[in-house]
Amino acid sequence: MTTLVTTPSERTGPAGAPPRRLYGVIAEFETPGALMKAAEEVRKAGYRWWDCCTPFPVHGLDKAMGIRNTILPIPVFFAGLTGTTIAFLLQSFTNSWDFSIWALVWVTGYPFLISGKPLMSLPAFIPVMFELTILLAATSCFGLMFLFNGLPRHSHPLLANDRFRRVTNDRFFVVIEARDPRYRAGVTEEFLKGLGPCAVEAVEEEPCPA
Amino acid sequence: MSSLPADMGDAAGVGASGTIGGEVDNTGNRPGRREPLVLGMDTFGEVTRTVCRVTEAKRPPMAWYIAFVISVGLVGLLGFCVLYLIFTGVGVWGLNNPVMWAFDITNFVFWIGIGHAGTLISAILFLFRQKWRTGINRFAEAMTIFAVMCAGIFPAIHVGRVWVVYWLFPIPNQMEMWPQFRSPLLWDVFAVSTYFTVSLLFWFAGMVPDLATLRDRATTKFRQFAYGVFALGWRGSNRHWHRYERAYLLLAALSTPLVLSVHSVVSFDFATSQLPGWHTTIFPPYFVAGAIFSGFAMVVTLAVPAREMFGLKNLITLRHLDNMNKVILVTGCMVGYAYGMEFFIAWYSGAIYEKFAFINRAFGQYWWAYWIMVSCNVITPQLFWFKAIRTSIPLMFVLSLVVNVGMWFERYVIIVTSLANDFLPSSWDMFIPTWVDIGTMIGAFGLFFTLFLLFCRFLPMIAMAEVKAVMPQADPHHGEHGHGEAASEEKGSHA
């Protein structure tokens, strides 16, 4: 396997441009198995600001990387409960109660008497309560997942790298960021090379829009 | 149950047991081994190329243009019919008193039902860990969204005064009036709008990694920007994948009861009324089974030409189609059972109006509609007991069309025959559709196919990331230390 290292100094842009700050080092692997072994080594070496990037979720990689379970289901559960509550209050206010509240404008409830049915007909309110529970839980699940992931974002140093483009196709990457306290220029690159990647490359921060 | 597919090395033909009609036969169910779900491809890159080729080709196949021109023409017809209706009034339809619902609600229920298969594939089969869903889930979900869009048109335009359709929603207004929340029609508003929103989010969330693939392969600035915007900056980080997978599981778990609730609520529109023929407790499960039945038929109708047109036969394989035909068979039997049980209860209840409604349905003035429904929905799917028919591409295509026709007639029979002959014989009447009724119905198909063709051309039609994840190579222990096959087989049997 060829191992290729580029350092920031080799990759300076147009003459006179200030050298860019280093974002980190990426190591490219060909198979999920190789990535998995590398991930275990990187974790054992004590790195903290690092990541694996893959075209699809690799089974068992969370454990190899030591990722703790996300708290996502907890806020989603409470969002669902909020939906239930909102739906109950909405229906009982608009169809059973007759006081006024201020919700951007003054609105008044209306005791909607149909065929002598009870004003507070809870069984009839259940379908809408169910639907709003699902609606709020699902939208918050979608929104919070991307929010926790720090997405959407317009650009990222890794996305500007040509080699990294294959991460959404067929290649597997280990990324160690330069801000990691254990990162040492040269040493970390050698460490990554020892894990049997097909390539190692340094990635710079994007230039600041001056 | 969810063990790994057989080793990919076999995929090109060694492992598969031969061919059926020129297609690789991977429909076998031999114990101890898994037939491959991806044929003739050994690397992840090949999957990417095969799927991306559809959107990256300079121009789509000729068949796409022909289909697109016809579909857009039909959208024009839809637009004309809807505008004519709005400017003139609902009198342009063939409705009368007592048949106040006919083509409009028939089409609404038909399209909502079509959508259910997409959610079933994406959510319920996901929870059941059915790996074959990965080949078909993306376009089945797209089908759901487009079908719900078509469905939404009909209740919106049937209200008469379309310009006050927002009264359906609880919006504060100067009249201090609120919608009536004890009405199943209002439940429907909430159920269908929730269904549309959640399906759209589920579809989009699933597509983000694949949009990132298209972004990273883009050769022009415009493509890179356009796909980049919707890819949300996805970079395949495993810390992201971790939350993504959890969110996907949660969305599947939320969509599963949702999809069952939507058609149940649609059936409440009928079941909670007092009309003989509608007022039955079997409606919710019966409607859900019918919805999945018709939806799977539509998936087969779309999958057969799409895999042909875009060269996706190695990803949407005979096994996928065979499995879908089995679902059609099962749900077809459920629908047949429901038809029988309706008749039994009509007799067993001893209610003369109920008895009359059903005898009239089968032997009254709409007997032809009833028997079209029975022959298409009960008899046709029974042919799928035969493997030769389940694996014959032309036959399954024709049968899926027949099922679509049958399910349209099912809704027509339920709605129109029950309304036409209610309690008072002096008010009985026939429903005869006008050209506007028929034009709107055909136009909705045009809208559906237009959206679907645009989707095929511009978006990743197959969930690449998910397909790659079910390939044997995706297993980190695949091919380990030279005894890879043994290792993965063993792991598979314990998975």
Side-chain angles (χ1 to χ4, degrees):
Chain A
M1 277 188 199
T2 46
T3 297
L4 176 149
V5 180
T6 345
T7 59
S9 55
E10 290 167 30
R11 288 170 52 83
T12 43
R20 297 182 191 169
R21 276 180 52 216
L22 187 72
Y23 169 77
V25 194
I26 59 174
E28 178 177 348
F29 296 88
E30 277 176 337
T31 63
L35 176 82
M36 184 88 102
K37 285 198 202 82
E40 267 167 20
E41 293 305 317
V42 177
R43 178 171 55 89
K44 278 184 204 148
Y47 287 98
R48 290 184 54 220
W49 288 97
W50 69 287
D51 206 344
C52 291
C53 293
T54 56
F56 53 83
V58 175
H59 193 70
L61 190 57
D62 291 349
K63 210 175 148 203
M65 283 179 69
I67 298 179
R68 277 182 306 161
N69 268 343
T70 170
I71 57 155
L72 185 68
I74 297 165
V76 169
F77 174 74
F78 284 102
L81 278 190
T82 312
T84 323
T85 317
I86 288 176
F88 173 73
L89 293 176
L90 173 77
Q91 295 179 91
S92 42
F93 175 72
T94 55
N95 280 193
S96 320
W97 296 333
D98 62 351
F99 54 85
S100 300
I101 54 163
W102 191 83
L104 298 176
V105 291
W106 279 99
V107 287
T108 309
Y110 184 83
F112 218 139
L113 190 61
I114 300 281
S115 330
K117 289 178 182 123
L119 284 176
M120 183 60 80
S121 13
L122 187 61
F125 293 165
I126 285 174
V128 173
M129 285 163 69
F130 173 77
E131 301 299 340
L132 282 196
T133 306
I134 300 284
L135 182 67
L136 262 73
T139 45
S140 65
C141 177
F142 174 86
L144 289 174
M145 182 266 284
F146 283 110
L147 192 74
F148 288 172
N149 283 345
L151 298 176
R153 62 181 287 170
H154 171 62
S155 65
H156 191 276
L158 290 172
L159 294 180
N161 182 286
D162 279 339
R163 178 181 301 285
F164 194 74
R165 281 184 162 208
R166 282 181 79 171
V167 74
T168 54
N169 179 4
D170 60 351
R171 287 301 162 95
F172 304 81
F173 291 86
V174 168
V175 182
I176 298 180
E177 291 184 37
R179 62 175 156 173
D180 191 291
R182 281 182 182 269
Y183 177 83
R184 296 285 177 274
V187 178
T188 301
E189 281 84 346
E190 286 305 316
F191 165 69
L192 281 174
K193 267 196 260 180
L195 301 176
C198 55
V200 174
E201 184 174 331
V203 178
E204 291 123 344
E205 295 276 7
E206 291 159 305
C208 296
Chain B
M1 179 183 65
S2 71
S3 61
L4 293 149
D7 187 71
M8 281 299 296
D10 298 348
V14 189
S17 359
T19 57
I20 300 180
E23 307 253 355
V24 177
D25 175 20
N26 59 341
T27 58
N29 284 312
R30 275 169 295 163
R33 65 163 293 132
R34 288 269 153 182
E35 295 286 343
L37 288 169
V38 180
L39 299 174
M41 287 183 227
D42 285 337
T43 65
F44 303 124
E46 278 174 275
V47 175
T48 313
R49 275 195 297 282
T50 310
V51 178
C52 292
R53 199 170 51 205
V54 179
T55 70
E56 287 169 354
K58 256 204 149 41
R59 48 178 60 92
M62 202 45 174
W64 187 90
Y65 282 109
I66 297 168
F68 190 70
V69 167
I70 297 171
S71 305
V72 171
L74 294 177
V75 175
L77 176 67
L78 174 71
F80 179 77
C81 289
V82 168
L83 286 178
Y84 181 62
L85 172 96
I86 292 171
F87 281 99
T88 320
V90 276
V92 300
W93 286 345
L95 302 177
N96 56 43
N97 186 357
V99 189
M100 295 171 200
W101 275 356
F103 267 42
D104 47 356
I105 302 304
T106 302
N107 287 326
F108 164 68
V109 181
F110 173 77
W111 283 115
I112 286 282
I114 294 289
H116 278 48
T119 320
L120 183 102
I121 292 168
S122 58
I124 299 180
L125 295 187
F126 177 78
L127 296 182
F128 285 143
R129 297 283 184 260
Q130 293 295 303
K131 291 184 175 183
W132 61 276
R133 71 181 265 290
T134 55
I136 52 172
N137 69 342
R138 173 66 45 71
F139 76 86
E141 285 171 47
M143 178 196 81
T144 296
I145 288 161
F146 306 146
V148 177
M149 285 161 94
C150 291
I153 293 172
F154 291 96
I157 60 171
H158 96 301
V159 294
R161 286 182 285 161
V162 179
W163 45 95
V164 292
V165 76
Y166 64 90
W167 286 2
L168 290 170
F169 297 97
I171 299 169
N173 56 68
Q174 81 287 1
M175 299 172 292
E176 297 203 334
M177 280 189 10
W178 297 110
Q180 149 68 315
F181 276 104
R182 294 182 199 91
S183 161
L185 300 179
L186 197 62
W187 305 344
D188 232 6
V189 172
F190 280 81
V192 173
S193 46
T194 300
Y195 184 48
F196 180 73
T197 315
V198 175
S199 304
L200 190 67
L201 292 180
F202 201 13
W203 182 57
F204 178 63
M207 205 151 51
V208 164
D210 290 349
L211 289 171
T213 306
L214 286 171
R215 173 200 64 200
D216 291 346
R217 287 171 58 88
T219 45
T220 64
K221 270 272 171 247
F222 176 74
R223 280 180 74 90
Q224 190 179 21
F225 176 78
Y227 288 118
V229 166
F230 290 103
L232 307 178
W234 185 263
R235 58 180 187 273
S237 155
N238 195 54
R239 296 176 197 277
H240 293 180
W241 277 121
H242 171 71
R243 295 193 192 93
Y244 177 93
E245 284 200 290
R246 186 50 62 97
Y248 202 86
L249 178 68
L250 288 175
L251 283 174
L254 291 166
S255 299
T256 299
L258 176 66
V259 68
L260 301 180
S261 86
V262 172
H263 231 57
S264 299
V265 168
V266 168
S267 79
F268 290 162
D269 293 347
F270 306 102
T272 58
S273 76
Q274 301 284 336
L275 195 68
W278 284 6
H279 190 60
T280 50
T281 48
I282 201 175
F283 262 25
Y286 160 28
F287 268 49
V288 172
I292 291 163
F293 178 56
S294 65
F296 266 89
M298 189 58 102
V299 177
V300 171
T301 309
L302 295 174
V304 167
R307 69 199 279 275
E308 200 80 37
M309 204 190 290
F310 299 115
L312 298 170
K313 287 184 179 178
N314 285 338
L315 291 167
I316 306 171
T317 66
L318 219 44
R319 186 177 187 86
H320 296 87
L321 298 169
D322 182 44
N323 282 350
M324 287 194 275
N325 292 334
K326 286 177 185 166
V327 176
I328 293 176
L329 172 60
V330 170
T331 47
C333 291
M334 290 183 193
V335 168
Y337 169 79
Y339 294 164
M341 194 42 79
E342 274 188 323
F343 260 82
F344 171 75
I345 293 295
W347 166 75
Y348 189 66
S349 68
I352 52 167
Y353 294 106
E354 194 73 19
K355 253 192 267 188
F356 169 77
F358 280 90
I359 291 170
N360 184 54
R361 198 174 267 187
F363 305 107
Q365 76 271 43
Y366 288 109
W367 64 271
W368 48 274
Y370 184 82
W371 294 106
I372 290 177
M373 168 187 103
V374 169
S375 42
C376 292
N377 293 350
V378 184
I379 300 166
T380 312
Q382 301 307 319
L383 293 171
F384 282 138
W385 284 107
F386 302 102
K387 187 169 180 181
I389 294 175
R390 280 205 310 273
T391 51
S392 156
I393 304 284
L395 278 177
M396 74 172 79
F397 183 68
V398 171
L399 292 185
S400 73
L401 291 177
V402 169
V403 169
N404 281 319
V405 170
M407 283 309 291
W408 191 90
F409 270 98
E410 180 197 294
R411 281 63 179 253
Y412 184 82
V413 164
I414 291 172
I415 293 169
V416 175
T417 65
S418 308
L419 283 170
N421 306 99
D422 61 357
F423 300 97
L424 196 62
S426 64
S427 63
W428 290 359
D429 206 345
M430 275 290 278
F431 168 79
I432 295 156
T434 64
W435 64 268
V436 188
D437 278 310
I438 295 166
T440 318
M441 177 186 75
I442 297 172
F445 279 93
L447 176 64
F448 178 74
F449 286 112
T450 303
L451 292 168
F452 190 76
L453 287 165
L454 287 173
F455 156 75
C456 291
R457 173 66 181 138
F458 294 108
L459 292 173
M461 210 178 123
I462 289 186
M464 287 178 269
E466 291 187 48
V467 168
K468 288 174 196 166
V470 300
M471 286 167 72
Q473 292 91 327
D475 178 24
H477 305 290
H478 176 73
E480 219 165 46
H481 307 305
H483 56 83
E485 191 169 341
S488 77
E489 287 278 351
E490 194 186 345
K491 188 174 190 306
S493 61
H494 290 105

